[in-house]
Coordinates of all heavy atoms in Angstrom, one line a residue:
M1 N 49.9 -16.7 -79.1 CA 51.3 -16.8 -79.5 C 52.2 -17.3 -78.4 O 52.0 -17.1 -77.3 CB 51.7 -15.4 -79.8 CG 53.2 -15.2 -80.3 SD 53.7 -13.6 -80.8 CE 54.3 -14.0 -82.4
N2 N 53.2 -18.1 -78.9 CA 54.1 -18.7 -77.9 C 55.0 -17.6 -77.3 O 55.8 -16.9 -78.1 CB 54.8 -19.8 -78.7 CG 55.9 -20.5 -77.8 OD1 56.1 -20.1 -76.7 ND2 56.4 -21.6 -78.4
P3 N 55.1 -17.6 -76.0 CA 55.9 -16.5 -75.4 C 57.4 -16.6 -75.7 O 58.2 -15.8 -75.7 CB 55.6 -16.7 -73.9 CG 54.6 -17.8 -73.7 CD 54.3 -18.3 -75.0
F4 N 57.8 -17.9 -75.8 CA 59.2 -18.2 -76.2 C 59.6 -17.7 -77.6 O 60.7 -17.2 -77.8 CB 59.6 -19.7 -76.0 CG 59.4 -20.1 -74.6 CD1 58.4 -21.0 -74.2 CD2 60.4 -19.7 -73.6 CE1 58.3 -21.4 -73.0 CE2 60.3 -20.1 -72.3 CZ 59.2 -21.0 -71.9
E5 N 58.6 -17.8 -78.5 CA 58.8 -17.3 -79.8 C 58.9 -15.8 -79.9 O 59.7 -15.2 -80.5 CB 57.7 -17.8 -80.7 CG 57.9 -17.6 -82.2 CD 59.0 -18.4 -82.8 OE1 59.3 -19.6 -82.2 OE2 59.7 -17.9 -83.7
L6 N 58.1 -15.2 -79.1 CA 58.1 -13.8 -78.9 C 59.4 -13.3 -78.3 O 60.0 -12.3 -78.8 CB 56.9 -13.3 -78.0 CG 56.7 -11.8 -77.8 CD1 56.5 -11.1 -79.2 CD2 55.6 -11.5 -76.9
L7 N 59.8 -14.0 -77.3 CA 61.1 -13.6 -76.7 C 62.4 -13.8 -77.8 O 63.2 -12.9 -77.8 CB 61.4 -14.6 -75.5 CG 62.3 -14.0 -74.4 CD1 61.9 -12.7 -73.9 CD2 62.4 -15.1 -73.3
K8 N 62.2 -14.7 -78.5 CA 63.3 -15.1 -79.6 C 63.2 -13.8 -80.5 O 64.3 -13.4 -81.0 CB 63.0 -16.4 -80.2 CG 64.0 -16.7 -81.3 CD 63.7 -18.1 -81.8 CE 64.0 -18.2 -83.2 NZ 63.5 -19.6 -83.7
N9 N 62.1 -13.4 -80.9 CA 61.9 -12.4 -81.9 C 62.4 -11.0 -81.3 O 63.1 -10.2 -82.0 CB 60.5 -12.2 -82.3 CG 60.1 -13.3 -83.3 OD1 60.9 -14.0 -83.9 ND2 58.7 -13.5 -83.4
T10 N 62.2 -10.9 -80.0 CA 62.6 -9.6 -79.3 C 64.2 -9.5 -79.3 O 64.7 -8.5 -79.5 CB 62.1 -9.6 -78.0 OG1 60.7 -9.7 -78.0 CG2 62.5 -8.3 -77.2
Q11 N 64.8 -10.6 -79.1 CA 66.2 -10.7 -79.1 C 66.8 -10.4 -80.5 O 67.8 -9.7 -80.6 CB 66.8 -12.1 -78.6 CG 68.2 -12.2 -78.5 CD 68.9 -11.2 -77.5 OE1 68.3 -10.8 -76.5 NE2 70.0 -10.8 -77.8
A12 N 66.2 -11.0 -81.5 CA 66.7 -10.7 -82.9 C 66.5 -9.2 -83.2 O 67.4 -8.6 -83.8 CB 65.9 -11.6 -83.9
I13 N 65.4 -8.7 -82.8 CA 65.2 -7.2 -83.1 C 66.2 -6.4 -82.4 O 66.7 -5.3 -82.9 CB 63.7 -6.8 -82.7 CG1 62.7 -7.4 -83.6 CG2 63.6 -5.2 -82.6 CD1 61.3 -7.3 -83.2
K14 N 66.5 -6.7 -81.1 CA 67.6 -6.0 -80.3 C 68.8 -6.1 -81.0 O 69.6 -5.1 -81.1 CB 67.6 -6.6 -78.9 CG 68.6 -5.9 -78.0 CD 68.7 -6.5 -76.6 CE 69.8 -5.8 -75.9 NZ 70.1 -6.6 -74.7
E15 N 69.2 -7.3 -81.5 CA 70.6 -7.5 -82.2 C 70.5 -6.5 -83.5 O 71.5 -6.0 -83.7 CB 70.7 -8.9 -82.5 CG 71.1 -9.7 -81.3 CD 71.1 -11.2 -81.6 OE1 71.0 -11.6 -82.8 OE2 71.3 -12.0 -80.6
Q16 N 69.5 -6.6 -84.3 CA 69.4 -5.7 -85.4 C 69.5 -4.3 -85.1 O 70.1 -3.5 -85.8 CB 68.1 -6.0 -86.2 CG 68.1 -7.3 -87.0 CD 66.8 -7.5 -87.7 OE1 65.7 -7.1 -87.2 NE2 66.8 -8.3 -88.8
S17 N 68.8 -3.9 -84.0 CA 68.9 -2.5 -83.6 C 70.3 -2.1 -83.2 O 70.8 -1.0 -83.6 CB 67.9 -2.2 -82.4 OG 68.1 -0.9 -82.0
E18 N 71.0 -2.9 -82.5 CA 72.4 -2.6 -82.1 C 73.3 -2.5 -83.3 O 74.1 -1.7 -83.5 CB 72.9 -3.7 -81.2 CG 72.3 -3.6 -79.8 CD 72.6 -4.7 -78.9 OE1 73.2 -5.7 -79.3 OE2 72.2 -4.7 -77.7
K19 N 73.1 -3.4 -84.4 CA 73.9 -3.4 -85.5 C 73.6 -2.1 -86.3 O 74.5 -1.4 -86.8 CB 73.5 -4.6 -86.4 CG 74.2 -4.7 -87.7 CD 73.7 -5.8 -88.5 CE 74.4 -5.7 -89.9 NZ 73.8 -6.7 -90.9
F20 N 72.3 -1.7 -86.3 CA 71.9 -0.4 -87.0 C 72.6 0.7 -86.4 O 73.1 1.7 -87.1 CB 70.4 -0.3 -87.1 CG 69.9 0.8 -87.9 CD1 70.1 0.9 -89.2 CD2 69.3 1.9 -87.4 CE1 69.7 1.9 -90.1 CE2 68.9 3.0 -88.0 CZ 69.0 3.0 -89.4
Q21 N 72.6 0.7 -85.0 CA 73.3 1.9 -84.3 C 74.7 2.1 -84.7 O 75.3 3.1 -85.0 CB 73.2 1.7 -82.9 CG 71.7 2.0 -82.3 CD 71.3 3.4 -82.5 OE1 72.0 4.3 -82.3 NE2 70.0 3.5 -82.9
K22 N 75.4 0.9 -84.9 CA 76.9 0.9 -85.3 C 77.0 1.4 -86.8 O 78.0 2.1 -87.1 CB 77.5 -0.5 -85.1 CG 77.7 -0.8 -83.7 CD 78.2 -2.2 -83.5 CE 78.4 -2.4 -82.0 NZ 78.8 -3.8 -81.7
E23 N 76.0 1.0 -87.6 CA 76.0 1.5 -89.0 C 75.8 3.0 -89.1 O 76.4 3.6 -90.0 CB 75.1 0.7 -89.8 CG 75.4 -0.7 -90.0 CD 74.4 -1.4 -90.9 OE1 73.3 -0.8 -91.2 OE2 74.6 -2.7 -91.0
L24 N 75.1 3.5 -88.2 CA 74.8 5.0 -88.2 C 76.2 5.7 -88.0 O 76.4 6.8 -88.6 CB 73.9 5.4 -87.1 CG 72.4 5.1 -87.3 CD1 71.6 5.5 -86.1 CD2 71.9 5.8 -88.6
E25 N 77.1 5.2 -87.2 CA 78.3 5.9 -86.9 C 79.1 5.9 -88.2 O 80.0 6.7 -88.4 CB 79.0 5.1 -85.8 CG 78.4 5.2 -84.5 CD 79.1 4.3 -83.4 OE1 80.1 3.8 -83.6 OE2 78.4 4.1 -82.3
E26 N 79.0 4.9 -89.1 CA 79.7 4.8 -90.3 C 79.2 5.7 -91.5 O 79.9 5.9 -92.5 CB 79.8 3.4 -90.8 CG 80.5 2.5 -89.7 CD 80.3 0.9 -90.1 OE1 79.9 0.6 -91.1 OE2 80.8 0.2 -89.2
I27 N 78.0 6.2 -91.4 CA 77.4 7.0 -92.4 C 78.2 8.3 -92.4 O 78.4 9.0 -91.4 CB 75.9 7.2 -92.1 CG1 75.1 6.0 -92.4 CG2 75.4 8.3 -93.0 CD1 73.7 6.1 -92.0
S28 N 78.5 8.8 -93.6 CA 79.0 10.1 -93.9 C 78.4 10.7 -95.1 O 78.3 10.0 -96.1 CB 80.6 10.0 -94.0 OG 81.1 11.3 -94.3
A29 N 77.9 11.9 -94.9 CA 77.3 12.5 -96.0 C 77.7 14.0 -96.1 O 78.1 14.6 -95.1 CB 75.7 12.5 -95.9
Q30 N 77.7 14.6 -97.3 CA 78.1 15.9 -97.5 C 76.8 16.7 -98.1 O 76.0 16.1 -98.7 CB 79.2 16.1 -98.4 CG 80.5 15.6 -97.9 CD 81.7 15.8 -98.9 OE1 81.5 16.0 -100.1 NE2 82.9 15.9 -98.3
G31 N 76.9 18.0 -97.8 CA 76.0 18.9 -98.3 C 76.7 20.1 -98.7 O 77.7 20.5 -98.0
S32 N 76.3 20.8 -99.7 CA 77.0 22.0 -100.2 C 76.0 23.1 -100.5 O 74.8 22.9 -100.8 CB 78.0 21.7 -101.3 OG 77.3 21.3 -102.4
S33 N 76.5 24.3 -100.7 CA 75.8 25.4 -101.1 C 76.6 26.4 -101.9 O 77.9 26.3 -101.8 CB 75.0 26.1 -99.9 OG 76.0 26.6 -99.0
G34 N 76.0 27.3 -102.5 CA 76.8 28.4 -103.3 C 77.7 27.8 -104.3 O 78.9 28.3 -104.4
G35 N 77.2 26.8 -105.0 CA 78.1 26.2 -106.0 C 79.3 25.5 -105.5 O 80.4 25.7 -106.0
R36 N 79.1 24.9 -104.3 CA 80.2 24.2 -103.6 C 81.2 25.1 -102.9 O 82.3 24.7 -102.6 CB 80.8 23.1 -104.5 CG 79.8 22.1 -105.1 CD 80.4 21.0 -105.8 NE 81.1 20.0 -104.9 CZ 80.5 19.1 -104.1 NH1 79.3 19.1 -103.9 NH2 81.2 18.2 -103.4
M37 N 80.8 26.4 -102.7 CA 81.7 27.3 -102.0 C 81.8 26.9 -100.5 O 82.8 27.1 -99.8 CB 81.2 28.8 -102.1 CG 81.5 29.3 -103.5 SD 81.4 31.1 -103.5 CE 79.8 31.5 -102.9
V38 N 80.7 26.3 -100.0 CA 80.7 25.7 -98.6 C 80.1 24.3 -98.7 O 79.2 24.0 -99.3 CB 79.6 26.6 -97.8 CG1 79.6 25.9 -96.3 CG2 80.1 28.0 -97.7
T39 N 81.0 23.4 -98.1 CA 80.7 22.0 -98.0 C 80.7 21.5 -96.6 O 81.7 21.8 -95.8 CB 81.6 21.2 -98.8 OG1 81.6 21.6 -100.1 CG2 81.3 19.7 -98.8
V40 N 79.6 20.9 -96.1 CA 79.6 20.4 -94.7 C 79.5 18.9 -94.8 O 78.8 18.3 -95.6 CB 78.2 20.9 -94.0 CG1 78.0 20.2 -92.7 CG2 78.4 22.4 -93.8
T41 N 80.3 18.3 -93.9 CA 80.3 16.8 -93.8 C 79.6 16.4 -92.5 O 79.9 17.1 -91.4 CB 81.7 16.2 -93.9 OG1 82.3 16.6 -95.1 CG2 81.7 14.7 -93.8
M42 N 78.7 15.5 -92.4 CA 78.0 15.1 -91.2 C 77.9 13.5 -91.1 O 78.0 12.8 -92.2 CB 76.6 15.6 -91.5 CG 75.7 15.4 -90.2 SD 74.1 16.3 -90.6 CE 74.6 18.0 -90.4
N43 N 77.9 13.0 -89.9 CA 77.7 11.5 -89.8 C 76.3 11.2 -89.6 O 75.5 12.0 -89.5 CB 78.7 11.0 -88.6 CG 78.2 11.6 -87.3 OD1 77.1 11.9 -87.0 ND2 79.1 11.6 -86.4
G44 N 76.1 9.9 -89.3 CA 74.7 9.4 -89.2 C 74.1 9.7 -88.0 O 72.9 9.6 -87.7
K45 N 74.8 10.3 -87.0 CA 74.2 10.8 -85.8 C 74.0 12.3 -85.9 O 73.6 12.9 -84.8 CB 75.1 10.5 -84.6 CG 75.2 9.1 -84.3 CD 76.1 8.8 -83.1 CE 76.1 7.3 -82.7 NZ 76.9 7.1 -81.5
F46 N 74.0 12.9 -87.1 CA 73.7 14.3 -87.3 C 74.6 15.2 -86.6 O 74.4 16.3 -86.3 CB 72.2 14.6 -87.0 CG 71.2 13.9 -87.9 CD1 70.7 12.8 -87.3 CD2 70.9 14.4 -89.1 CE1 69.7 12.1 -88.2 CE2 70.1 13.6 -90.0 CZ 69.4 12.5 -89.4
E47 N 75.9 14.7 -86.5 CA 77.0 15.5 -85.9 C 77.8 16.1 -87.1 O 78.2 15.3 -87.9 CB 77.9 14.7 -85.0 CG 77.1 14.2 -83.8 CD 77.9 13.1 -83.1 OE1 78.8 12.4 -83.6 OE2 77.7 12.9 -81.9
M48 N 78.1 17.3 -87.1 CA 78.9 17.9 -88.1 C 80.4 17.4 -87.9 O 80.9 17.7 -86.8 CB 78.8 19.4 -88.2 CG 79.5 20.1 -89.4 SD 79.6 21.9 -89.4 CE 77.8 22.3 -89.2
T49 N 81.0 16.8 -88.9 CA 82.4 16.4 -88.7 C 83.4 17.1 -89.5 O 84.5 17.0 -89.3 CB 82.4 14.9 -89.2 OG1 82.0 14.8 -90.5 CG2 81.6 14.0 -88.2
G50 N 82.9 18.1 -90.4 CA 83.8 18.9 -91.1 C 83.1 20.0 -92.0 O 82.0 19.8 -92.1
I51 N 83.9 21.0 -92.2 CA 83.4 22.0 -93.1 C 84.5 22.6 -93.9 O 85.6 22.7 -93.5 CB 82.7 23.2 -92.2 CG1 82.1 24.2 -93.1 CG2 83.7 23.8 -91.3 CD1 81.2 25.2 -92.4
K52 N 84.2 22.8 -95.2 CA 85.2 23.4 -96.1 C 84.6 24.6 -96.7 O 83.5 24.6 -97.1 CB 85.6 22.3 -97.2 CG 86.2 21.1 -96.7 CD 87.1 20.5 -97.8 CE 87.7 19.1 -97.4 NZ 88.6 19.1 -96.3
L53 N 85.5 25.6 -96.7 CA 85.1 27.0 -97.3 C 86.0 27.3 -98.4 O 87.3 27.3 -98.3 CB 85.2 28.0 -96.2 CG 84.4 27.8 -95.0 CD1 84.7 28.9 -93.8 CD2 82.9 27.8 -95.2
D54 N 85.5 27.7 -99.5 CA 86.3 28.2 -100.6 C 86.7 29.7 -100.1 O 85.9 30.5 -99.7 CB 85.5 28.3 -101.9 CG 86.1 28.8 -103.1 OD1 87.0 29.6 -102.9 OD2 85.8 28.2 -104.2
P55 N 88.0 30.0 -100.2 CA 88.5 31.2 -99.8 C 87.7 32.4 -100.4 O 87.6 33.4 -99.8 CB 89.9 31.3 -100.2 CG 90.3 29.8 -100.3 CD 89.0 29.1 -100.8
I56 N 87.1 32.2 -101.6 CA 86.5 33.3 -102.3 C 85.2 33.8 -101.5 O 84.8 34.9 -101.5 CB 86.2 33.0 -103.7 CG1 85.8 34.2 -104.5 CG2 85.0 32.1 -103.8 CD1 85.9 34.1 -106.0
C57 N 84.6 32.9 -100.7 CA 83.4 33.2 -100.0 C 83.7 33.8 -98.6 O 82.7 34.2 -97.9 CB 82.5 32.0 -99.8 SG 83.0 30.8 -98.8
V58 N 85.0 34.0 -98.3 CA 85.3 34.5 -97.0 C 85.5 36.0 -97.2 O 86.7 36.4 -97.5 CB 86.5 33.8 -96.3 CG1 86.9 34.4 -95.0 CG2 86.2 32.3 -96.1
D59 N 84.6 36.8 -97.1 CA 84.7 38.2 -97.3 C 84.1 39.0 -96.1 O 83.0 38.9 -95.8 CB 83.9 38.6 -98.6 CG 84.0 40.2 -98.9 OD1 84.6 40.9 -98.1 OD2 83.5 40.5 -100.0
N60 N 84.9 39.6 -95.3 CA 84.5 40.3 -94.1 C 83.4 41.4 -94.4 O 82.8 41.8 -93.4 CB 85.6 40.8 -93.3 CG 86.4 42.0 -94.0 OD1 86.1 42.3 -95.1 ND2 87.4 42.5 -93.3
R61 N 83.2 41.7 -95.6 CA 82.2 42.7 -95.9 C 80.9 42.1 -96.1 O 79.9 42.7 -96.2 CB 82.6 43.5 -97.2 CG 83.8 44.4 -97.0 CD 84.3 44.9 -98.3 NE 84.7 43.8 -99.1 CZ 85.1 43.8 -100.3 NH1 85.1 45.0 -101.0 NH2 85.6 42.8 -101.0
D62 N 80.8 40.7 -96.2 CA 79.6 40.0 -96.4 C 79.5 38.7 -95.5 O 79.4 37.7 -96.0 CB 79.4 39.7 -97.9 CG 77.9 39.3 -98.2 OD1 77.1 39.4 -97.3 OD2 77.6 39.1 -99.5
V63 N 79.6 38.9 -94.3 CA 79.5 37.8 -93.3 C 78.2 37.2 -93.3 O 78.1 35.9 -93.3 CB 79.9 38.3 -91.9 CG1 79.6 37.1 -90.9 CG2 81.3 38.8 -91.8
Q64 N 77.1 37.9 -93.6 CA 75.7 37.3 -93.6 C 75.6 36.3 -94.7 O 75.0 35.2 -94.5 CB 74.7 38.4 -93.9 CG 73.2 38.0 -94.0 CD 72.8 37.4 -92.7 OE1 73.1 37.9 -91.6 NE2 72.2 36.2 -92.7
M65 N 76.3 36.5 -95.9 CA 76.2 35.6 -97.0 C 76.8 34.3 -96.6 O 76.3 33.2 -96.8 CB 76.8 36.1 -98.3 CG 76.8 35.1 -99.4 SD 78.0 35.5 -100.7 CE 79.6 35.1 -99.9
L66 N 78.0 34.3 -96.0 CA 78.8 33.1 -95.5 C 77.9 32.4 -94.5 O 77.9 31.2 -94.5 CB 80.1 33.5 -94.9 CG 81.0 32.4 -94.4 CD1 81.2 31.3 -95.5 CD2 82.3 32.8 -93.9
E67 N 77.3 33.0 -93.6 CA 76.4 32.4 -92.6 C 75.3 31.6 -93.2 O 75.0 30.5 -92.9 CB 75.9 33.5 -91.6 CG 76.9 34.0 -90.7 CD 76.5 35.2 -89.8 OE1 75.4 35.8 -90.1 OE2 77.2 35.6 -88.9
D68 N 74.7 32.3 -94.2 CA 73.6 31.7 -94.9 C 74.0 30.4 -95.7 O 73.3 29.4 -95.8 CB 72.9 32.8 -95.9 CG 72.2 33.8 -95.2 OD1 71.9 33.7 -94.0 OD2 71.8 34.9 -95.8
L69 N 75.2 30.6 -96.3 CA 75.8 29.4 -97.1 C 76.1 28.2 -96.1 O 75.8 27.1 -96.5 CB 77.0 29.8 -97.8 CG 76.8 30.7 -99.0 CD1 78.2 31.1 -99.5 CD2 76.1 30.0 -100.1
I70 N 76.6 28.5 -94.9 CA 76.8 27.4 -93.9 C 75.6 26.8 -93.5 O 75.5 25.5 -93.5 CB 77.6 27.9 -92.7 CG1 79.0 28.4 -93.2 CG2 77.7 26.9 -91.7 CD1 79.8 29.1 -92.2
V71 N 74.5 27.5 -93.2 CA 73.2 27.0 -92.9 C 72.6 26.1 -93.9 O 72.1 25.0 -93.7 CB 72.2 28.1 -92.4 CG1 70.9 27.6 -92.2 CG2 72.8 28.8 -91.1
S72 N 72.7 26.6 -95.2 CA 72.1 25.9 -96.3 C 73.0 24.6 -96.6 O 72.3 23.6 -96.8 CB 72.2 26.7 -97.5 OG 71.7 26.1 -98.6
A73 N 74.3 24.6 -96.4 CA 75.0 23.5 -96.7 C 74.8 22.4 -95.5 O 74.7 21.1 -95.8 CB 76.5 23.8 -96.6
H74 N 74.5 22.9 -94.3 CA 74.2 22.0 -93.1 C 72.9 21.3 -93.4 O 72.8 20.1 -93.1 CB 74.2 22.8 -91.9 CG 74.0 22.0 -90.7 ND1 72.8 21.8 -90.2 CD2 74.8 21.4 -89.8 CE1 72.8 21.0 -89.1 NE2 74.1 20.7 -88.9
K75 N 71.9 22.0 -93.8 CA 70.6 21.5 -94.1 C 70.7 20.4 -95.3 O 70.1 19.4 -95.1 CB 69.7 22.6 -94.6 CG 68.3 22.1 -94.8 CD 67.3 23.3 -95.2 CE 65.9 22.9 -95.4 NZ 65.6 22.2 -96.6
S76 N 71.5 20.7 -96.2 CA 71.7 19.8 -97.4 C 72.4 18.5 -96.9 O 71.9 17.3 -97.3 CB 72.5 20.4 -98.4 OG 72.9 19.5 -99.5
A77 N 73.3 18.6 -96.0 CA 74.0 17.4 -95.4 C 73.0 16.6 -94.6 O 73.1 15.4 -94.7 CB 75.2 17.8 -94.6
M78 N 72.2 17.3 -93.8 CA 71.1 16.6 -93.0 C 70.2 15.7 -93.9 O 69.9 14.6 -93.5 CB 70.4 17.5 -92.1 CG 71.2 18.0 -90.9 SD 70.1 19.2 -89.8 CE 68.6 18.2 -89.6
E79 N 69.8 16.4 -95.0 CA 68.9 15.6 -95.9 C 69.6 14.4 -96.5 O 68.9 13.4 -96.6 CB 68.4 16.7 -96.9 CG 67.5 17.6 -96.5 CD 67.2 18.8 -97.5 OE1 67.8 18.8 -98.5 OE2 66.4 19.6 -97.2
N80 N 70.9 14.5 -96.8 CA 71.6 13.4 -97.4 C 71.8 12.3 -96.3 O 71.7 11.1 -96.6 CB 73.0 13.9 -97.9 CG 72.8 14.8 -99.2 OD1 71.8 14.6 -99.8 ND2 73.8 15.6 -99.4
V81 N 72.0 12.7 -95.0 CA 72.1 11.7 -94.0 C 70.8 11.0 -93.9 O 70.7 9.8 -93.7 CB 72.6 12.3 -92.7 CG1 72.4 11.4 -91.5 CG2 74.0 12.7 -92.8
Q82 N 69.7 11.7 -93.9 CA 68.4 11.1 -93.7 C 68.1 10.2 -94.8 O 67.5 9.1 -94.6 CB 67.3 12.2 -93.6 CG 67.3 13.0 -92.3 CD 66.4 14.2 -92.4 OE1 66.0 14.8 -93.4 NE2 65.9 14.7 -91.3
E83 N 68.5 10.4 -96.0 CA 68.3 9.5 -97.1 C 69.1 8.3 -96.9 O 68.5 7.2 -97.2 CB 68.7 10.3 -98.5 CG 68.4 9.4 -99.6 CD 66.8 9.1 -99.8 OE1 66.0 9.9 -99.5 OE2 66.6 7.9 -100.3
Q84 N 70.3 8.4 -96.5 CA 71.1 7.2 -96.3 C 70.5 6.3 -95.1 O 70.5 5.1 -95.2 CB 72.5 7.5 -95.9 CG 73.3 8.0 -97.1 CD 74.8 8.2 -96.8 OE1 75.4 7.4 -96.1 NE2 75.4 9.2 -97.3
I85 N 70.0 7.0 -94.1 CA 69.4 6.3 -93.0 C 68.1 5.5 -93.5 O 67.9 4.3 -93.2 CB 69.0 7.2 -91.8 CG1 70.3 7.6 -91.1 CG2 68.1 6.5 -90.9 CD1 70.1 8.7 -90.1
K86 N 67.3 6.2 -94.3 CA 66.2 5.5 -94.9 C 66.5 4.3 -95.7 O 65.9 3.2 -95.6 CB 65.4 6.5 -95.8 CG 64.5 7.5 -95.0 CD 63.9 8.4 -96.1 CE 63.1 9.5 -95.4 NZ 62.6 10.4 -96.4
Q87 N 67.6 4.4 -96.5 CA 68.0 3.3 -97.3 C 68.5 2.1 -96.4 O 68.2 0.9 -96.7 CB 69.1 3.8 -98.2 CG 68.6 4.6 -99.4 CD 69.7 5.2 -100.3 OE1 70.9 4.9 -100.1 NE2 69.3 6.0 -101.2
K88 N 69.3 2.4 -95.4 CA 69.8 1.3 -94.6 C 68.8 0.8 -93.7 O 68.9 -0.4 -93.5 CB 70.9 1.9 -93.6 CG 72.3 2.1 -94.4 CD 73.4 2.4 -93.5 CE 74.7 2.6 -94.1 NZ 75.3 1.4 -94.5
S89 N 67.8 1.5 -93.3 CA 66.9 1.0 -92.3 C 65.7 0.2 -93.1 O 65.0 -0.4 -92.4 CB 66.2 2.1 -91.5 OG 65.5 3.1 -92.3
S90 N 65.5 0.5 -94.3 CA 64.3 -0.1 -95.1 C 64.3 -1.6 -95.0 O 63.4 -2.3 -94.8 CB 64.3 0.3 -96.5 OG 65.4 -0.2 -97.2
S91 N 65.6 -2.2 -95.0 CA 65.7 -3.7 -94.9 C 65.4 -4.1 -93.5 O 64.8 -5.2 -93.2 CB 67.0 -4.2 -95.4 OG 68.1 -3.7 -94.5
L92 N 65.9 -3.4 -92.5 CA 65.7 -3.6 -91.1 C 64.2 -3.5 -90.7 O 63.7 -4.4 -90.0 CB 66.5 -2.7 -90.3 CG 66.4 -2.9 -88.7 CD1 66.9 -4.2 -88.2 CD2 67.1 -1.8 -88.1
L93 N 63.6 -2.6 -91.3 CA 62.2 -2.3 -90.8 C 61.1 -2.8 -91.8 O 60.0 -2.5 -91.6 CB 62.0 -0.8 -90.6 CG 62.9 -0.2 -89.5 CD1 62.7 1.3 -89.6 CD2 62.6 -0.6 -88.2
G94 N 61.6 -3.5 -92.7 CA 60.7 -4.1 -93.7 C 59.9 -3.1 -94.5 O 58.7 -3.3 -94.8
G95 N 60.6 -2.0 -94.9 CA 60.0 -1.0 -95.8 C 59.0 0.0 -95.0 O 58.3 0.7 -95.6
M96 N 59.1 0.0 -93.7 CA 58.3 0.9 -92.9 C 58.6 2.4 -93.3 O 59.8 2.7 -93.4 CB 58.4 0.7 -91.4 CG 57.5 1.6 -90.5 SD 57.9 1.5 -88.8 CE 57.5 -0.2 -88.4
D97 N 57.6 3.2 -93.4 CA 57.8 4.6 -93.7 C 58.3 5.4 -92.5 O 57.6 5.5 -91.5 CB 56.5 5.2 -94.3 CG 56.7 6.7 -94.7 OD1 57.8 7.2 -94.8 OD2 55.7 7.3 -94.9
L98 N 59.6 5.9 -92.5 CA 60.1 6.5 -91.4 C 59.8 8.0 -91.3 O 60.0 8.7 -90.3 CB 61.7 6.5 -91.4 CG 62.3 5.1 -91.2 CD1 63.7 5.2 -91.3 CD2 61.8 4.6 -89.9
S99 N 59.0 8.5 -92.3 CA 58.6 10.0 -92.3 C 57.7 10.2 -91.1 O 57.6 11.3 -90.7 CB 58.0 10.3 -93.6 OG 56.8 9.6 -93.8
K100 N 56.9 9.1 -90.7 CA 56.1 9.4 -89.5 C 56.8 9.7 -88.3 O 56.3 10.2 -87.3 CB 55.2 8.1 -89.3 CG 54.4 7.7 -90.4 CD 53.8 6.4 -90.2 CE 53.0 6.0 -91.5 NZ 52.5 4.6 -91.3
F101 N 58.2 9.3 -88.3 CA 59.0 9.6 -87.1 C 60.0 10.7 -87.3 O 61.0 10.9 -86.5 CB 59.8 8.3 -86.8 CG 58.9 7.0 -86.6 CD1 58.9 6.2 -87.5 CD2 58.1 6.9 -85.4 CE1 58.0 5.0 -87.5 CE2 57.3 5.8 -85.3 CZ 57.3 4.9 -86.3
G102 N 59.7 11.6 -88.3 CA 60.6 12.7 -88.5 C 61.8 12.4 -89.3 O 62.7 13.3 -89.3
L103 N 61.9 11.3 -89.9 CA 63.2 10.9 -90.7 C 62.8 10.8 -92.1 O 61.8 10.6 -92.6 CB 63.8 9.6 -90.2 CG 64.3 9.7 -88.8 CD1 64.8 8.3 -88.4 CD2 65.5 10.6 -88.8

């Protein structure tokens, strides 16, 4: 293989990777639980960017339920982000299965 061709391909891969990193910042996904009583918003870097609580689920007599709903909504949002990442990366990676890498 021609070393110059390999270098050219490496540069193209690097540029695609940088573009993909920027696209991750633009991803926004939501997850909810309890019939949408709790909704979590997350970006493509798996950072929670927002949470909405229906006032009906805020009951100081049942804090455990609210905690469980938040955890469940967070998990749902993560799964939605992962799905969006798979969709965006499939063209970049030529359909490579990301589940091997935990995504």
Side-chain angles (χ1 to χ4, degrees):
M1 174 176 241
N2 182 346
F4 295 109
E5 191 68 32
L6 183 61
L7 205 55
K8 183 174 141 184
N9 289 340
T10 303
Q11 182 62 30
I13 290 170
K14 181 181 176 193
E15 289 171 5
Q16 286 180 327
S17 176
E18 289 170 355
K19 179 183 173 191
F20 185 67
Q21 288 297 318
K22 289 180 182 172
E23 288 179 2
L24 285 179
E25 294 172 10
E26 297 171 6
I27 289 176
S28 179
Q30 290 186 336
S32 63
S33 63
R36 301 189 73 70
M37 287 196 304
V38 175
T39 302
V40 168
T41 305
M42 185 176 287
N43 67 21
K45 293 183 174 183
F46 297 97
E47 299 166 335
M48 188 185 305
T49 58
I51 185 168
K52 295 207 185 294
L53 304 173
D54 184 324
I56 199 163
C57 70
V58 182
D59 181 355
N60 64 356
R61 294 170 293 172
D62 198 358
V63 173
Q64 180 65 43
M65 179 198 68
L66 180 57
E67 292 170 346
D68 291 344
L69 288 172
I70 291 170
V71 169
S72 180
H74 184 268
K75 182 177 185 281
S76 175
M78 282 182 51
E79 290 169 353
N80 291 335
V81 168
Q82 288 173 333
E83 185 59 35
Q84 286 189 40
I85 290 172
K86 283 180 189 177
Q87 290 173 0
K88 284 191 178 287
S89 65
S90 66
S91 61
L92 175 67
L93 300 175
M96 182 187 298
D97 183 12
L98 293 178
S99 64
K100 299 173 187 174
F101 304 104
L103 295 174

